[in-house]
Amino acid sequence: MTTAIRSEFDRGIALAPAPAEPGRYHGALDPGWQIGGGINGGLLLAVAGHALSLRHGADGGHPDPVSITGHYLSAARPGPVEVRTEPVRRGRSLSTGTASMLQDGEERLRVLATYGELGTGPGGVHTSARPPQLPPPEQCVGLADAPKSMIDQAALLERLDLRLDPATVGWALGKPSGAGRIQGWFKLADGREPDPLLLLLAADALPPAAFDLGMPGWAPTVELTVHLRARPAPGWLRVSHATRNLADGYFEEDAEIWDSADRLVAQSRQLARAPRVR
Amino acid sequence: MTTAIRSEFDRGIALAPAPAEPGRYHGALDPGWQIGGGINGGLLLAVAGHALSLRHGADGGHPDPVSITGHYLSAARPGPVEVRTEPVRRGRSLSTGTASMLQDGEERLRVLATYGELGTGPGGVHTSARPPQLPPPEQCVGLADAPKSMIDQAALLERLDLRLDPATVGWALGKPSGAGRIQGWFKLADGREPDPLLLLLAADALPPAAFDLGMPGWAPTVELTVHLRARPAPGWLRVSHATRNLADGYFEEDAEIWDSADRLVAQSRQLARAPRVR
């Protein structure tokens, strides 16, 4: 779970086991992961996912999230954080457990997840999914092109090297396409290579797909589920995400993450509250 | 949650509160809901979802599942079942809780879910999703056309009125399309009208999409998440489900459920173990 470089991401998800309290871990949420009023939901899932990785990795040799679901209960703030894990079932190839993230006794996030070891299953692949078609990163829209007002609201953006497909950023110029799709290249600004826990961040790091429906604004995640399908190769990730249905004040957002070896390494879906339209 | 007809489904998910044990419920899994060696996973989710509906409906006026995730831990058998619910957070418009389903002290299913009241959000709908194109039910493939060997393995089928699109049943004749898609009409054989809990069954009632990849056989669900997007209108439901990526021994299965008023009433995704290919 660590790389040669001790990166901002590794520091961001770092956890220390609580003495004499098995399955409890302490960490700190850094203000550099903020977006809007709180800490990014993907980073929170990576912190909770790290705790479960420590627990299931040690208990049963199942260090990798295979399917992980988080329900977001209250906005997390910079500062100390505690994660309490509870094993549910330990099987031969998969282990299931829960994690609860707390700040000052208030629960921020509840997680239910099944862990295993990626890349140990049968080798056959049958994929009809295709990677997103993107111009090369240098022809995409990066942080240097973003309005300062956006960066001020999203410290997170400075930790990422996010290059959005110019065809899907019309919303930034007041011209959303209406298709509900945003896609681009993703890596960490400090060059830290992808691993399963980083995919949890990548699943919730792009601007909400509702922006492209002409609904800019805060879209709090109710629930986010990520399926990890392969261990990612080094290099750029490609992330595409889209919504197909906004109704009753909620919209879903489906993301696919592809690695540099053209493998679909993660699929995610979240349910988010639609921004209020003024 | 009940209709004028006391249907097999209502009996199947019926629960009695345990005396003096708040949040615990007792029920019975009927052999009529079996498929393969166990009870159908959608029915199990509906039973656990019913327990949470009783809990959150009474506690906070939030009777409807909005996002519900189940992790399947061991195969459920016909017979008595206990569901233990625990509230996690009660909010103004949403409540989150967990449910644990047990038989003889062994956990079958762990659920994490957020409940609310469907149809009370802002009215705007923005949908690019389109309902599946299906021939009328009488031109589709029903139970009368299914091989007896299939019905013997799936008592469940006799409780459903499932009419599969002939274009997606080539697998039954040894000619899978390879597209990984199966779709059709769905209602209960006894005419009981759809409601949110029935959508949990409908999300896992069609044959596995892997059949259409030429992989017939048992495909146990690891995890199933259902988003409920609207209260379904009476009448037929249309269910389409498909897989886009089978790798490392797992495949995802995305389902959409549309009601007779052409509304997308539920979206689901599951991660399942791929059948062993002989």
Side-chain angles (χ1 to χ4, degrees):
Chain A
M1 288 297 153
T2 56
T3 57
I5 301 163
R6 175 76 170 166
S7 83
E8 290 169 329
F9 179 73
D10 291 308
R11 284 199 302 276
I13 66 168
L15 291 169
E21 295 180 300
R24 294 200 184 188
Y25 304 88
H26 293 286
L29 301 177
D30 186 279
W33 297 106
Q34 282 182 107
I35 177 148
I39 302 287
N40 169 266
L43 192 277
L44 297 178
L45 195 63
V47 172
H50 186 203
L52 285 167
S53 175
L54 294 171
R55 186 88 192 246
H56 292 303
D59 280 3
H62 298 149
D64 300 323
V66 171
S67 170
I68 180 167
T69 289
H71 286 244
Y72 293 81
L73 306 170
S74 57
R77 309 293 176 197
V81 70
E82 181 185 352
V83 183
R84 300 179 184 172
T85 61
E86 292 285 349
V88 171
R89 179 181 177 269
R90 186 166 115 192
R92 194 180 52 80
S93 56
L94 296 173
S95 292
T96 300
T98 67
S100 173
M101 175 180 287
L102 298 111
Q103 287 190 304
D104 292 327
E106 191 174 356
E107 191 164 359
R108 302 303 190 203
L109 173 66
R110 179 67 66 96
V111 170
L112 176 60
T114 292
Y115 275 59
E117 190 175 0
L118 293 173
T120 56
V125 175
H126 187 114
T127 304
S128 58
R130 294 286 166 263
Q133 295 303 305
L134 296 171
E138 59 276 12
Q139 292 174 25
C140 287
V141 179
L143 191 63
D145 306 304
K148 185 172 176 304
S149 61
M150 178 176 285
I151 300 169
D152 288 346
Q153 299 247 336
L156 168 79
L157 290 178
E158 303 199 69
R159 301 218 156 154
L160 310 180
D161 191 352
L162 201 58
R163 312 281 183 96
L164 298 181
D165 181 349
T168 66
V169 296
W171 48 268
L173 306 166
K175 291 180 183 165
S177 80
R181 172 177 296 277
I182 298 179
Q183 58 187 26
W185 300 88
F186 174 100
K187 63 182 174 75
L188 288 181
D190 66 13
R192 193 258 201 204
E193 295 291 359
D195 67 4
L197 292 177
L198 183 64
L199 299 181
L200 303 183
L201 172 63
D204 192 36
L206 267 61
F211 281 16
D212 192 42
L213 298 179
M215 305 178 89
W218 183 234
T221 303
V222 173
E223 175 266 329
L224 168 61
T225 294
V226 187
H227 291 177
L228 291 98
R229 310 300 305 276
R231 191 174 295 282
W236 284 103
L237 297 170
R238 282 159 293 170
V239 183
S240 96
H241 75 174
T243 184
R244 304 177 69 229
N245 188 51
L246 183 150
D248 207 19
Y250 298 94
F251 67 105
E252 97 289 359
E253 191 170 82
D254 284 1
E256 286 187 357
I257 308 178
W258 294 77
D259 73 2
S260 62
D262 266 0
R263 282 200 78 168
L264 178 54
V265 291
Q267 290 172 300
S268 72
R269 175 174 288 167
Q270 68 172 269
L271 189 70
R273 276 187 202 266
R276 307 241 170 227
V277 180
R278 281 165 297 243
Chain B
M1 286 299 153
T2 55
T3 58
I5 302 162
R6 175 77 169 166
S7 82
E8 289 170 331
F9 179 72
D10 291 308
R11 283 200 302 274
I13 65 168
L15 291 169
E21 294 182 302
R24 295 200 183 186
Y25 304 89
H26 292 285
L29 301 177
D30 186 279
W33 297 106
Q34 282 183 108
I35 178 149
I39 301 287
N40 169 268
L43 192 276
L44 297 178
L45 195 64
V47 172
H50 186 204
L52 286 166
S53 175
L54 294 170
R55 186 86 191 246
H56 292 303
D59 280 4
H62 298 149
D64 300 322
V66 171
S67 170
I68 181 167
T69 290
H71 286 245
Y72 292 81
L73 307 170
S74 56
R77 308 293 176 198
V81 69
E82 180 184 352
V83 184
R84 300 178 185 173
T85 62
E86 291 284 349
V88 171
R89 178 181 178 269
R90 185 165 114 190
R92 192 179 54 78
S93 56
L94 296 174
S95 292
T96 300
T98 66
S100 172
M101 175 180 287
L102 298 111
Q103 287 190 305
D104 291 326
E106 190 175 356
E107 192 165 358
R108 301 302 190 204
L109 173 66
R110 177 68 65 97
V111 170
L112 175 60
T114 292
Y115 274 60
E117 190 175 358
L118 293 173
T120 57
V125 175
H126 188 114
T127 303
S128 58
R130 294 286 165 264
Q133 296 303 306
L134 296 171
E138 59 276 14
Q139 293 173 24
C140 287
V141 178
L143 190 64
D145 306 304
K148 185 171 178 303
S149 61
M150 177 176 286
I151 300 169
D152 287 346
Q153 299 243 339
L156 168 78
L157 290 177
E158 302 198 66
R159 302 218 156 155
L160 310 180
D161 192 352
L162 201 58
R163 309 283 183 96
L164 299 181
D165 181 351
T168 66
V169 296
W171 47 268
L173 307 167
K175 292 181 182 164
S177 80
R181 172 177 296 276
I182 298 179
Q183 58 187 27
W185 301 89
F186 174 99
K187 63 183 174 75
L188 288 181
D190 65 13
R192 195 258 199 203
E193 294 291 356
D195 66 5
L197 292 178
L198 183 63
L199 299 181
L200 304 183
L201 172 63
D204 193 37
L206 267 61
F211 281 16
D212 191 42
L213 298 179
M215 304 178 88
W218 182 234
T221 303
V222 174
E223 176 266 328
L224 168 61
T225 294
V226 186
H227 291 177
L228 291 99
R229 310 301 304 278
R231 190 174 296 283
W236 283 102
L237 298 169
R238 282 158 293 171
V239 183
S240 97
H241 75 176
T243 184
R244 303 177 69 230
N245 189 51
L246 184 151
D248 206 19
Y250 298 94
F251 67 105
E252 97 290 359
E253 189 169 82
D254 285 1
E256 286 187 356
I257 308 177
W258 294 78
D259 73 3
S260 62
D262 266 359
R263 284 200 76 169
L264 178 54
V265 292
Q267 290 171 300
S268 73
R269 175 175 287 167
Q270 67 172 270
L271 189 69
R273 278 187 200 264
R276 308 242 170 226
V277 180
R278 280 167 296 246

